Amino acid sequence: MSISAADILGGESIARLRQPIEQSRGLPTAAYTSQEFFDLEQRELFPKTWMSVCFVEDVAEPGDAIPVTAAGVPIIVLRAENGEIRAFHNVCRHRATIVLQEPAKRLKHLQCLYHAWTYALDGTLEATPYFDGTPDAANAHIDRSQYGLVPVRCDIWNHIVFVNLDDKALPLDKIVKPAADEYAPLNLDDLRLGPRLTWEFEANWKLVFDNWEVYHHVWVHEGVFERMTDEVNIETGRPYTEPIADGDVMILHIREDSPRHAIPRAPAELPAIPRNDAERPFVAAAVAILSNTSATVTYQSYQPVIYTPISPSRTRATMAWYYASEALEPEYAEARERSLDRWLGPTRKFEDRGGIRSQDFVCMQLQQAARGSAVADEVLFSPTWEANVRNFQTWLVDRLEA
């Protein structure tokens, strides 16, 4: 009999989570620390979602290929000869060996190391040398049309390559529509890749999306967000950021009455992202594409992150920064570095808590450490600020129980 979320977390804990937010209690410690629950997610959650695995620039030219892993499944992402980005199970059809071991450029075909079975970039099986003892295996009686690499659903959104292992999942464009609508005023397609950085931190992947609120800004992001009056109308108690949850998407949307829209901007250090709609107000927005992707856009840069769960207490963050083409010219090099300082800190070490990302990751590590206590089972939500946090947690349980 298969293990369910209720078997691990307890039916009472799930029932409490589903109470109205004022009475709701968050996921218990086991959701963040249990290997059994982590395995359940790998088996029952991630394969049914669209998972980000790399950026389009990883396979920039025909013949470029990269091995990735999604939900524990080895996959090849490549750019075919016709320019299309495709994905395949990274498994030779002969004896189930990994075909592509490391990123490669300008390949003409893929060849398995074990017995040299060879595949075209469209996945077609081209050669099975000496399978019957002869060079071209002419008498092998293998129907090559039936033994090509097995394709994986693959699609692209705003420079991010996604894969999906479930034939029943909606197309990616349907999933990301709320996020696409949020970013509609901006032309993200023509942006160019700038810096990239990968960090690993000692926290469960879910703590990334438990952080999808702005209540923590003034305290965690000292020196970046300094005034509570920029976050909330202190006369009404209404935050200026609206939490939106729609299917597999969560958004932190800055409302038009936010003081940030009225703040006079200093002359921009970097050229702004090109606009599709110059009339519609836009300051910034952060979106999450569940299960493992986030993207933040400011008026000068676009910053997607791919989160890869490694263990119940370890997560890898693959981060990228995209800018308008002009912003990548040498004259803006110092301005780009100052922009990165805001996100990563001057040392580029997240332990130093010098930037937004490092401050968040350190806080997540402290949350993970606290999950070693049974007291952590009694987690509250602020109805004013943390609707997205509860929405994420109920989304998770609903997906696991579907």
Side-chain angles (χ1 to χ4, degrees), residues 37-56:
F37 194 78
F38 181 83
D39 293 342
L40 177 68
E41 293 170 336
Q42 293 285 308
R43 188 171 63 251
E44 299 294 340
L45 174 70
F46 293 112
K48 298 175 183 178
T49 67
W50 282 94
M51 299 168 285
S52 56
V53 290
C54 64
F55 301 110
V56 294

Side-chain angles (χ1 to χ4, degrees), residues 198-214:
T198 297
W199 280 344
E200 292 187 8
F201 54 97
E202 301 295 330
N204 187 274
W205 70 274
K206 290 185 289 297
L207 291 170
V208 172
F209 303 105
D210 280 353
N211 194 47
W212 224 250
E213 40 89 351
V214 299

Side-chain angles (χ1 to χ4, degrees), residues 193-197 319-323 328 336-337 340:
L193 177 64
R196 294 179 58 167
L197 185 65
M319 302 171 282
W321 282 260
Y322 289 81
Y323 301 95
L328 291 178
R336 291 196 304 271
E337 287 301 307
L340 285 178

Side-chain angles (χ1 to χ4, degrees), residues 22-41:
E22 293 81 1
Q23 291 83 44
S24 181
R25 296 296 179 268
L27 289 169
T29 290
Y32 301 86
T33 61
S34 163
Q35 183 65 48
E36 193 172 33
F37 194 78
F38 181 83
D39 293 342
L40 177 68
E41 293 170 336

Side-chain angles (χ1 to χ4, degrees), residues 194-400:
R196 294 179 58 167
L197 185 65
T198 297
W199 280 344
E200 292 187 8
F201 54 97
E202 301 295 330
N204 187 274
W205 70 274
K206 290 185 289 297
L207 291 170
V208 172
F209 303 105
D210 280 353
N211 194 47
W212 224 250
E213 40 89 351
V214 299
Y215 184 22
H216 69 280
H217 273 187
V218 171
W219 295 283
V220 173
H221 301 305
E222 183 180 357
V224 180
F225 302 102
E226 297 182 337
R227 299 181 301 185
M228 204 65 183
T229 51
D230 287 342
E231 304 294 347
V232 62
N233 184 323
I234 59 175
E235 294 181 0
T236 66
R238 185 185 184 194
Y240 291 119
T241 299
E242 179 183 1
I244 299 170
D246 190 344
D248 291 2
V249 173
M250 295 193 301
I251 302 172
L252 292 173
H253 170 78
I254 298 178
R255 299 197 340 258
E256 292 186 17
D257 62 343
S258 166
R260 297 184 194 178
H261 285 282
I263 296 172
R265 295 201 180 280
E269 285 200 305
L270 291 169
I273 293 175
R275 303 281 302 222
N276 293 324
D277 183 351
E279 300 300 320
R280 179 172 154 187
F282 187 92
V283 173
V287 306
I289 311 297
L290 302 174
S291 57
N292 76 321
T293 311
S294 76
T296 302
V297 174
T298 66
Y299 66 102
Q300 292 181 339
S301 64
Y302 161 61
Q303 308 117 30
V305 185
I306 298 169
Y307 292 99
T308 305
I310 298 173
S311 75
S313 60
R314 192 168 184 83
T315 302
R316 179 182 302 117
T318 304
M319 302 171 282
W321 282 260
Y322 289 81
Y323 301 95
S325 295
E326 184 184 354
L328 291 178
E329 295 297 328
E331 65 188 280
Y332 292 106
E334 291 185 6
R336 291 196 304 271
E337 287 301 307
R338 286 191 291 271
S339 172
L340 285 178
D341 288 349
R342 183 174 188 267
W343 289 97
L344 303 174
T347 68
R348 306 295 190 261
K349 296 179 180 179
F350 78 83
E351 298 91 343
D352 293 343
R353 292 190 60 192
I356 293 173
R357 295 257 188 260
S358 50
Q359 290 162 348
D360 278 335
F361 294 165
V362 167
C363 193
M364 291 170 198
Q365 292 193 149
L366 295 174
Q367 291 177 281
Q368 185 71 27
R371 290 287 177 169
S373 168
V375 175
D377 283 347
E378 191 70 15
V379 174
L380 308 178
F381 300 113
S382 165
T384 300
W385 300 95
E386 295 173 331
N388 262 350
V389 184
R390 179 177 171 276
N391 285 331
F392 164 63
Q393 295 189 12
T394 55
W395 171 90
L396 174 82
V397 171
D398 289 345
R399 279 303 195 103
L400 288 173

Side-chain angles (χ1 to χ4, degrees), residues 9-18 25-26 28:
L9 305 182
E12 182 179 345
S13 293
I14 292 176
R16 289 204 308 166
L17 173 64
R18 289 184 168 138
R25 296 296 179 268

